[in-house]
Structure formats: C-alpha cells, structure tokens
Amino acid sequence: MAQKPRTSETDTSPTTGRNSGLNRRSFVRSAAATATAAFTFGAAGTAAAQDDYEVIEAENQEITVESGETWENKLIDMTTGQDITITTVGSDWTVRNIGFEGENVSGAGSATFGISDDGGESTIENVYLGDGSDDGNQSGTGHGQTAFWANPEHAGHIDMQNVNIQGFADNAVYGSAPGNGGGGTIHIDSCFAANCYVSHFRLATEGSRITNSSVLVDDEGYEGRGIWAWSPGTIEVENCQIEMNGHNSAIDAGANGQGTDVALIDSQYDEQAGIAEHDGSNVQLEGDTGTDPEAFIPDGTPTSAEEAALGGD
C-alpha cells in the first residue's frame, strides 16, 4: 500500500463537519446522487446461490436492512471492481455471516457499512473485511474509505462481535459521530482490526466499550491510531491487546478541543506508541494493564470471506 503521512494529534476537520451531520456519504450514499439500484433486505443484485450462502457480485448497489430484519450468509464478490454499500435503518436488525472477497473500492470519504439503530438493540456479528480497501481509496487529506460508519442519529445500541477489518484507508470502525448526535452506544467485542488509517476503533459515547479485542499495526502504509476516544465519553477498553510497533498512538483521547475519559482495564498497549491525552482528557489504567501487547485474532472471528459467509469454521 502507498505510504501515507501520519495524521496529526487531532482531527483536522471541524466538530460540526466530519463528526456530525449526515455527511458520511449522507448515511452511506445519497440516493439522489447515484444512479444505482436500491435494494431492500433479501435482494441481491446479480447473485449465485450456494449450498450455505449466497454470492452477491458488487455492482454499485445499495442494500438496506430495516427494522427487525436479518441479513445473513452472504459472500460479497468485490473482484468485479465495483462498489456495494449496506445501510441499516430502524431498530432491532441483525447483520451476520458476511464475507467480502477482494478489496473494497468505494471512493475516499465513503463507507462500506452505514449503521444506526433508532432506539432498540441491533447486532453485527461474524463479518470479514480483511482484504482491505483499494489503493485508490485515499485522498490528499489522508482520509479514505471506512469499513463501518455510525450515523450521528444512532440512538440505540449496537453489538459488534467477531468482526475482522484490515487495510482500510480510513477508520475501521468510525463510531464517534453519535457523540454529537443521538448518543447511541456501540460495544465492540472479540474483534480484530489491523493496518487501517486514521484509527482502528473510534468511539465517543458513555456506555460504549471495546472488549476482548486486538489492534495490530505492522504496516508502514496505514499507521492509524489504535483506539481513538472522543467526547463526551467515558469509553471503556477491557481485556484488549493494542500492538502498534511504535506507530502513532495506542490510545488517543480527545479531539477538536473536547476531552474525554478512557478506562483501560486489564489490557496491554504498546508503550512506544503510548497514550495521548488532549483537551483535558484522562486515560485511567486499571487492573492488570501493562505494556506487553500481543495482538491476535479472537476465537470465532473469521479469517476469510468464505468462512464468514458460512457462519464460522
């Protein structure tokens, strides 16, 4: 991947811009701005049925998962060189057993998943995005494609479990926008993120947590922060391994003049990358927290697109 300059200690975009408002492809993508087919849950564009999962060829389509629906057991073929986006709306939806084969090709400033729950509890589990994003998904500001972007209007709760995200040109999970909006929470559990740019796990709202997860940076191209905590917080990080190999910051707290608190519990972080505290932020080390991280892919987290689509091993 192409070498990219390191980001500054704070986001260069104003609080009222990148982290708030319907600006991340206007909740993935404005339908008026694209001449692509819109799909609801269960529709699949050009798809080939398999015994245990469905193959969907990326053809610049948008799939919408609505309240109470489950979208599962799909292998997304990105080798077409085209795009696909998945948008969740309403509440109590489920996205699971989804594997992306090949690099994601959305343009800079876009996202593969746009997620939001308007007051209930929703679930994302067993998703593979480990093939990364195309080198073209970069911009002069250093921002590119995000894997998961949480809409600022997110007001409920989303559980993310066993998700594998690697090589994205922007945040792996951009979950901080609800901190300036609906105030919804996100729990990232047993997930793996590696070699992404800007940050790997980015959260903002009190009640949001990262548990039993790992971050790895061992590529000099996408040297994003390990965990980026935005206000208002507090963000809890428990039983996590944050192996940065000296790149950027393991924990970065606060941005754009707003501070937050982080509770780092029973976790290991890269001492050389260290902890950055901005704008009155505080990172509290609790329990058996130390500086000897060994990142790993948590049990049950898929390591290929087909494994994800099949629902596990």
Side-chain angles (χ1 to χ4, degrees):
M1 294 182 178
Q3 178 70 33
K4 296 168 66 67
R6 288 180 56 171
T7 54
S8 64
E9 292 294 335
T10 58
D11 197 339
T12 57
S13 301
T15 302
T16 56
R18 185 175 174 80
N19 202 47
S20 63
L22 298 180
N23 60 345
R24 175 64 60 162
R25 193 184 285 183
S26 294
F27 199 23
V28 185
R29 174 188 288 147
S30 168
T34 60
T36 59
F39 291 76
T40 57
F41 159 73
T46 302
Q50 301 291 318
D51 289 340
D52 299 297
Y53 59 83
E54 180 181 31
V55 176
I56 301 176
E57 294 182 355
E59 295 180 336
N60 293 324
Q61 68 267 53
E62 179 178 333
I63 292 172
T64 302
V65 182
E66 300 180 346
S67 290
E69 294 179 333
T70 298
W71 193 63
E72 62 184 343
N73 298 105
K74 313 292 184 186
L75 190 149
I76 312 300
D77 181 6
M78 303 299 297
T79 65
T80 61
Q82 302 299 309
D83 193 11
I84 189 169
T85 58
I86 298 92
T87 302
T88 68
V89 297
S91 63
D92 305 315
W93 45 262
T94 298
V95 171
R96 66 183 174 211
N97 304 339
I98 310 298
F100 289 75
E101 186 172 64
E103 293 180 331
N104 284 243
V105 295
S106 298
S110 61
T112 300
F113 283 87
I115 57 175
S116 179
D117 183 292
D118 63 13
E121 296 185 4
S122 294
T123 301
I124 298 166
E125 59 186 1
N126 203 54
V127 176
Y128 178 82
L129 282 159
D131 291 349
S133 61
D134 184 85
D135 286 347
N137 289 309
Q138 304 170 20
S139 70
T141 62
H143 298 303
Q145 187 188 7
T146 289
F148 289 88
W149 174 74
N151 189 293
E153 295 183 354
H154 168 53
H157 178 77
I158 297 173
D159 283 312
M160 299 184 67
Q161 187 172 39
N162 296 127
V163 176
N164 185 339
I165 307 167
Q166 300 183 46
F168 270 74
D170 203 281
N171 302 266
V173 178
Y174 189 136
S176 60
N180 291 320
T185 53
I186 298 173
H187 181 191
I188 298 169
D189 181 65
S190 300
C191 294
F192 179 76
N195 298 318
C196 295
Y197 194 59
V198 182
S199 77
H200 291 79
F201 299 134
R202 174 171 171 171
L203 299 175
T205 53
E206 184 171 2
S208 289
R209 308 172 62 210
I210 305 165
T211 59
N212 310 311
S213 298
S214 285
V215 171
L216 174 65
V217 176
D218 60 1
D219 185 327
E220 293 184 357
Y222 290 158
E223 304 169 5
R225 303 161 178 83
I227 294 172
W228 198 1
W230 282 60
S231 66
T234 300
I235 306 302
E236 291 188 5
V237 179
E238 184 172 5
N239 194 31
C240 291
Q241 302 289 319
I242 310 167
E243 184 179 349
M244 305 294 292
N245 289 295
H247 298 300
N248 215 313
S249 300
I251 304 287
D252 198 331
N256 292 350
Q258 302 177 64
T260 192
D261 294 329
V262 177
L264 187 60
I265 307 164
D266 297 331
S267 298
Q268 300 293 317
Y269 70 95
D270 178 11
E271 186 175 26
Q272 184 179 356
I275 294 172
E277 298 169 314
H278 308 290
D279 307 310
S281 295
N282 179 57
V283 178
Q284 184 69 36
L285 308 185
E286 301 179 11
D288 188 22
T289 292
T291 55
D292 188 23
E294 295 184 7
F296 64 96
I297 298 177
D299 288 344
T301 299
T303 57
S304 72
E306 186 173 35
E307 181 185 337
L310 285 169
D313 296 335

